[in-house]
Amino acid sequence: MLQLSRYPFHTLKTVPNGSDNRSTGLLLQAGFIRQEMAGAYVFTHLGLRVLKHIEQIIREELDAIGSSEILMPSLGKKESWLKTGRWDEVDVLFKLPASEGKEYALNPTHEEIVTPLMKEFIQSYKDLRNCSVYQFQTKFRNEARAKSGILRGREFIMKDLYSFHANTEELDTYFEVVHGAYDRIFERLGLSGSTFYTFASGGAFSKYSYEFQTELSIGEDNVYICSKCGQAHNEEIIDPAHFVCVECGSTEHRLTKTSEVGNIFKLGTRFSDAFELRYQDETGAMKPVTMGCYGIGVSRVMGVIAEKFMDEKGLVWPENIAPYSHYLIVIGEHLDEALSLVRKLEAEGKSVLVDDRTVGFGSKAGDADLMGIPYRIVLSDKTLAQWGYELKERTEDESQIISL
Ligand code: ATP
Ligand code: MG
């Protein structure tokens, strides 16, 4: 339970100036986030709860495919980044000077850490059965333009998963397992109808990489969707003058703006070669390990959901990621009744934010809408005269009286 009379992060009367877009403005106004500087945000209590709920959905689906959660450090060894050639190659890499002339990387991704880590644990083909690890971690990238609020940060939360295989066939099989988990994740996040599995540029090892692109008017990517078979293509693999679907060959298409919420990538042996990550096969021969990597932009997903579901009154969170499920407005001297109702609701698995401030009903109802809490309860002389409370859904106008 959260009691607003004792809560520091109050809402603002109006949208603060200078927001990059409306949903960032609403997240600021509703007190979910604060900007420390361009590209770096504080998640206050309500914002953090949304982020943790998104994280938990991802965690459940990755645990279900048997991946192991770990946590790697943000500081990276310069030697490892030199070894892969990425110390000088990655333009967004933050380099941190330290004592005695040393330098560190602030990791923008974790291949340089996870590959040497797994080298200690992978010796034989037997160690490569369903071998994958993942983490939720703060990534650092010196993005040229950090804008669009939490959609593009210089510091942001990513889920990154790395998988290790005996050969390309086993990677291909596992790739589809993760693809399935991603479909379930975006379904549970309420994004499946508007998220496209998109062919994008692949790099050295495979022809394409695969992005999960969510249709969003403020998105930074342009995606071509085939009108015939529905396949989505990132503009980076398209000749815009002559669109031809890579799946079915049709030239009919529509162009739409999207935000990349995740991507899955076949790395091949690029990193295992650099760190000599090898395994012994059934015949005793030493072979390089084949790797895959799989990202989801957790904090970006929060921004995408905020932008996608907001309405004219404020934020609208889907119930499974909302910071609290119920916003309880207390009118008059009824805090005791409110607290016993909270206990009852919590016993049913609901989470409750109690608005017991000494402000008028209009302000309370306005904040309930602004914060986007799925259910609003009113407890007052009027409802208690009917031995009940009023219940209304965030997106409905009708309310009903429920018996206490
Ligand atoms: P983008 O093209 O948007 O820069 P990317 O190709 O650099 O993304 P990856 O390195 O694959 O992204 O990172 C995995 C996921 O992390 C992305 O799919 C995206 O959702 C998220 N992400 C990447 N960069 C940022 C950022 N600067 N701020 C917030 N989220 C990000
Ligand atoms: Mg990038």
Side-chain angles (χ1 to χ4, degrees):
M1 178 193 64
L2 173 70
Q3 238 172 298
L4 281 192
S5 63
R6 310 170 179 177
Y7 176 68
F9 304 111
H10 58 77
T11 58
L12 303 174
K13 293 252 176 324
T14 53
V15 181
N17 289 329
S19 311
D20 295 323
N21 50 57
R22 181 153 182 273
S23 56
T24 304
L26 290 173
L27 288 167
L28 289 164
Q29 190 188 352
F32 282 57
I33 60 170
R34 278 296 177 271
Q35 191 187 56
E36 170 63 14
M37 57 189 157
Y41 284 86
V42 173
F43 290 83
T44 60
H45 179 71
L46 294 180
L48 182 63
R49 282 181 68 99
V50 173
L51 204 64
K52 291 289 167 196
H53 290 160
I54 295 171
E55 226 179 75
Q56 187 54 23
I57 287 173
I58 299 171
R59 176 177 290 116
E60 285 170 14
E61 294 301 335
L62 298 182
D63 288 350
I65 61 168
S67 193
S68 309
E69 184 171 359
I70 64 172
L71 180 61
M72 291 182 272
S74 291
L75 282 180
K77 268 204 297 239
K78 182 177 180 180
E79 299 88 294
S80 294
W81 284 87
L82 284 171
K83 205 171 244 178
T84 58
R86 296 209 290 184
W87 180 262
D88 296 308
E89 191 183 292
V90 173
D91 55 350
V92 296
L93 184 65
F94 275 113
K95 296 169 184 172
L96 200 65
S99 53
E100 292 161 18
K102 274 188 85 120
E103 279 183 296
Y104 299 104
L106 271 178
N107 296 317
T109 177
H110 277 73
E111 286 83 0
E112 275 77 356
I113 296 83
V114 79
T115 316
L117 168 74
M118 297 314 286
K119 187 177 154 84
E120 187 186 334
F121 298 95
I122 295 171
Q123 274 99 40
S124 104
Y125 67 95
K126 291 180 193 153
D127 300 321
L128 293 172
R129 292 183 186 136
N130 205 52
C131 182
S132 85
V133 297
Y134 75 93
Q135 65 173 346
F136 293 96
Q137 227 252 5
T138 303
K139 298 287 193 256
F140 296 89
R141 294 186 182 182
N142 196 3
E143 304 276 1
R145 284 182 317 140
K147 56 178 191 69
S148 315
I150 54 175
L151 294 184
R152 183 171 299 283
R154 296 208 169 91
E155 175 179 337
F156 61 96
I157 313 287
M158 193 201 287
K159 183 286 299 169
D160 43 333
L161 183 150
Y162 304 88
S163 69
F164 303 85
H165 310 277
N167 52 48
T168 329
E169 295 71 53
E170 288 179 18
L171 167 63
D172 290 349
T173 305
Y174 192 73
F175 204 72
E176 287 314 313
V177 170
V178 181
H179 183 176
Y182 271 42
D183 285 345
R184 289 187 289 279
I185 288 165
F186 292 119
E187 169 81 44
R188 288 178 65 183
L189 292 172
L191 295 175
S192 58
S194 54
T195 299
F196 304 107
Y197 185 62
T198 305
F199 293 160
S201 62
F205 178 72
S206 64
K207 188 163 180 205
Y208 300 120
S209 70
Y210 304 86
E211 296 171 341
F212 292 77
Q213 293 276 5
T214 305
E215 207 158 15
L216 202 69
S217 60
I218 62 164
E220 293 181 12
D221 290 356
N222 290 307
V223 163
Y224 288 72
I225 297 165
C226 172
S227 310
K228 197 161 162 220
C229 74
Q231 179 58 54
H233 312 64
N234 191 310
E235 66 175 340
E236 68 196 12
I237 61 158
I238 289 295
D239 170 4
H242 307 99
F243 171 83
V244 181
C245 177
V246 300
E247 192 71 11
C248 75
S250 169
T251 57
E252 297 289 309
H253 65 278
R254 74 185 174 91
L255 174 59
T256 187
K257 288 232 165 289
T258 59
S259 179
E260 181 192 318
V261 287
N263 83 18
I264 58 182
F265 207 93
K266 296 178 184 177
L267 296 169
T269 61
R270 161 151 196 209
F271 295 96
S272 36
D273 287 342
F275 293 103
E276 297 172 346
L277 168 60
R278 301 202 195 98
Y279 74 98
Q280 197 165 33
D281 76 4
E282 290 90 332
T283 68
M286 294 306 288
K287 301 253 175 74
V289 170
T290 301
M291 290 172 56
C293 74
Y294 316 79
I296 293 181
V298 181
S299 45
R300 179 179 290 180
V301 163
M302 175 174 160
V304 166
I305 292 174
E307 176 73 22
K308 228 177 161 64
F309 295 108
M310 68 186 178
D311 66 11
E312 68 292 345
K313 293 186 217 147
L315 297 163
V316 178
W317 298 108
E319 206 175 327
N320 57 352
I321 68 157
Y324 289 89
S325 61
H326 288 67
Y327 191 108
L328 199 170
I329 295 177
V330 196
I331 306 288
E333 303 298 313
H334 296 300
L335 188 57
D336 287 345
E337 290 96 326
L339 295 182
S340 71
L341 176 56
V342 169
R343 280 192 290 278
K344 186 174 159 218
L345 292 168
E346 285 181 345
E348 294 165 9
K350 286 144 185 157
S351 55
V352 191
L353 188 161
V354 181
D355 194 348
D356 57 341
R357 296 172 300 170
T358 50
V359 297
F361 175 77
S363 300
K364 295 184 179 189
D367 278 352
D369 284 342
L370 175 63
M371 290 178 185
I373 310 298
Y375 296 95
R376 189 190 79 187
I377 289 175
V378 181
L379 198 65
S380 65
D381 284 342
K382 217 172 91 189
T383 69
L384 284 168
Q386 302 173 67
W387 302 105
Y389 60 87
E390 183 198 273
L391 179 70
K392 188 186 91 60
E393 284 186 42
R394 169 64 177 78
T395 51
E396 305 284 333
D397 292 325
E398 303 286 296
S399 63
Q400 56 183 125
I401 295 288
I402 310 282
S403 298
L404 274 168

